Amino acid sequence: MITLLYLFLEFFKTGLFSIGGGLATIPYLNQMADRYGWITHQQLGNIIAIAESTPGPIGVNAATYIGYEAYGLVGAFVATIALILPSVIVCVIVAQMLAKFSKSKVVEHLFRGLRPVAIGLIAAAGWSVFKLATAFNLQLSPASFIISIPALVIFVVFLVAMQLKPLSKLHPLVYIVIGGIAGAILQL
Amino acid sequence: MFQLYFTFLKIGSLMLGGGYSMLPLLVRELVDKKKWTTEEELLNYFSVAQCTPGVIAVNTATFVGYKLKGIWGAILATLGIITVPFALIVLIAVALSSVWEYQLVQNIFAGVRIAVAALIISAVIRLFSKSIKDWFSVLLCVAAFALMVFAGVSPIFIVLGAAIVALVWGRVKP
């Protein structure tokens, strides 16, 4: 029961403070993996992959999955509703003054500052998934870890491919499937 | 009213990979087929949805639902968009927990995580080159990264701190 309360609070916070879409929820999910036993960091990496390759918003998918792992079907439901509740409340309020909101100087200033911070936070989440994906015997110290060379090579190939013109248009699912096949063949 | 729910149910089950993939689907369903709104208005909602907290797809659904049918419209549209993804993820979670012991499954996911890391970093590169244009933004972005990775500061405090800095900076240098 107390788990449900924590699930609700954590996902409500995530919904309220993640700005810039589903990827922006990852830093908060990462923090949950640190603090609670609901999921491991490894599982979080899997969840992001599953969320990217199934229909629906990434943040919602992740909430459902983590909620399920923490407290079964009820947990999935509570986490999902908690994540979307702040959005719905804020958006209904904003919808009533939409014209004012989109022309407001304060909002403009706020987002000029919040957007780069959201990108920095997503980068930090990307860094932790990178460590997880390429390290052997992961010790969760921030600075030092031993990199597995095959994993690093695959990472670099993927990253370069994603920046090149025709390949950058490919759906994320394509990369996820290729990654899975490589993982099975090379026994990563 | 239920048409609203089922339209968003359809959009929720067709959108793959996050809020940005939602826009073309919304245009097709809401503007071309149902004629509930115009493309221009939709784009307006979509850009505000990116500046409000939370998941972009949920925000957009709330806006469109609210504009069409008030508060119940907002709730139904939002529930519509999450119904199918919710059911699907629960099924996957159940299935995955029963095959997780197999070495093959773990190897596959080890490879998948590499792809995910590359996808996130790639998204960061894209967002950075698109929306970071001055030194103030570079500084904020790097500071947020460093505070989280090296100092382990909670993202909530980083976001709140940035909001204050941004408001003050907006007054000093409009």
Side-chain angles (χ1 to χ4, degrees):
Chain A
M1 205 55 206
I2 196 85
T3 308
L4 283 180
L5 187 65
Y6 276 120
L7 266 178
F8 184 87
L9 290 176
E10 283 295 331
F11 279 98
F12 192 87
K13 270 195 321 204
T14 304
L16 190 58
F17 286 100
S18 57
I19 286 152
L23 285 178
T25 60
I26 300 174
Y28 298 93
L29 307 180
N30 213 4
Q31 209 189 17
M32 282 182 221
D34 283 336
R35 278 193 190 162
Y36 304 94
W38 300 334
I39 49 156
T40 62
H41 285 89
Q42 247 183 352
Q43 270 177 309
L44 181 60
N46 304 346
I47 291 167
I48 298 166
I50 291 166
E52 291 253 24
S53 21
T54 50
I58 293 174
V60 173
N61 290 345
T64 307
Y65 200 110
I66 296 173
Y68 183 83
E69 288 292 321
Y71 210 85
L73 200 55
V74 179
F77 186 75
V78 167
T80 308
I81 294 296
L83 180 80
I84 64 173
L85 200 56
S87 294
V88 174
I89 296 170
V90 171
C91 287
V92 164
I93 295 170
V94 170
Q96 290 169 355
M97 41 173 200
L98 198 62
K100 245 198 211 157
F101 184 87
S102 46
K103 287 196 184 69
S104 155
K105 276 271 171 262
V106 173
V107 173
E108 192 194 311
H109 289 155
L110 207 55
F111 283 93
R112 213 168 60 191
L114 287 183
R115 211 163 284 143
V117 165
I119 298 170
L121 291 179
I122 297 170
W127 168 248
S128 69
V129 178
F130 169 79
K131 264 194 333 191
L132 192 80
T134 57
F136 296 118
N137 303 329
L138 186 75
Q139 303 296 322
L140 273 167
S141 73
S144 64
F145 57 96
I146 308 159
I147 281 188
S148 131
I149 299 297
L152 185 66
V153 171
I154 298 171
F155 173 82
V156 172
V157 170
F158 275 160
L159 192 61
V160 171
M162 286 169 195
Q163 314 310 315
L164 299 175
K165 249 294 144 97
L167 296 176
S168 62
K169 294 259 180 272
L170 285 177
H171 196 276
L173 189 57
V174 176
Y175 290 103
I176 289 171
V177 169
I178 297 173
I181 294 170
I185 294 172
L186 301 173
Q187 305 189 343
L188 289 168
Chain B
M1 204 68 136
F2 284 100
Q3 234 186 341
L4 192 67
Y5 175 80
F6 283 110
T7 302
F8 276 92
L9 185 109
K10 190 172 166 192
I11 294 169
S13 46
L14 291 177
M15 60 177 288
L16 256 180
Y20 294 101
S21 65
M22 187 193 190
L23 194 59
L25 284 171
L26 281 171
V27 171
R28 202 174 64 205
E29 291 297 320
L30 302 179
V31 180
D32 297 346
K33 283 194 187 162
K34 295 274 172 11
K35 303 205 186 327
W36 283 342
T37 177
T38 63
E39 190 162 348
E40 202 190 346
E41 213 180 15
L42 200 61
L43 273 173
N44 228 340
Y45 295 147
F46 201 69
S47 59
V48 180
Q50 291 173 45
C51 305
T52 38
V55 180
I56 296 174
V58 170
N59 296 347
T60 311
T62 306
F63 278 131
V64 176
Y66 186 82
K67 281 289 160 184
L68 291 173
K69 297 270 176 207
I71 186 89
W72 283 107
I75 293 170
L76 281 178
T78 304
L79 288 179
I81 206 125
I82 64 169
T83 306
V84 171
F86 180 86
L88 210 62
I89 291 290
V90 169
L91 287 178
I92 290 173
V94 174
L96 202 61
S97 63
S98 64
V99 295
W100 188 244
E101 303 95 80
Y102 294 103
Q103 188 60 44
L104 179 65
V105 176
Q106 295 187 18
N107 288 341
I108 289 173
F109 271 98
V112 163
R113 283 195 295 268
I114 300 174
V116 170
L119 283 169
I120 298 177
I121 305 288
S122 179
V124 168
I125 294 172
R126 205 180 54 238
L127 289 168
F128 193 95
S129 58
K130 203 176 75 182
S131 70
I132 297 205
K133 300 221 158 72
D134 52 28
W135 283 107
F136 177 61
S137 308
V138 174
L139 192 73
L140 280 176
C141 181
V142 172
F145 178 84
L147 282 174
M148 179 135 179
V149 170
F150 300 111
V153 177
S154 162
I156 292 181
F157 293 123
I158 299 176
V159 167
L160 288 177
I164 295 167
V165 171
L167 287 179
V168 172
W169 184 258
R171 294 214 148 217
V172 178
K173 216 179 160 190

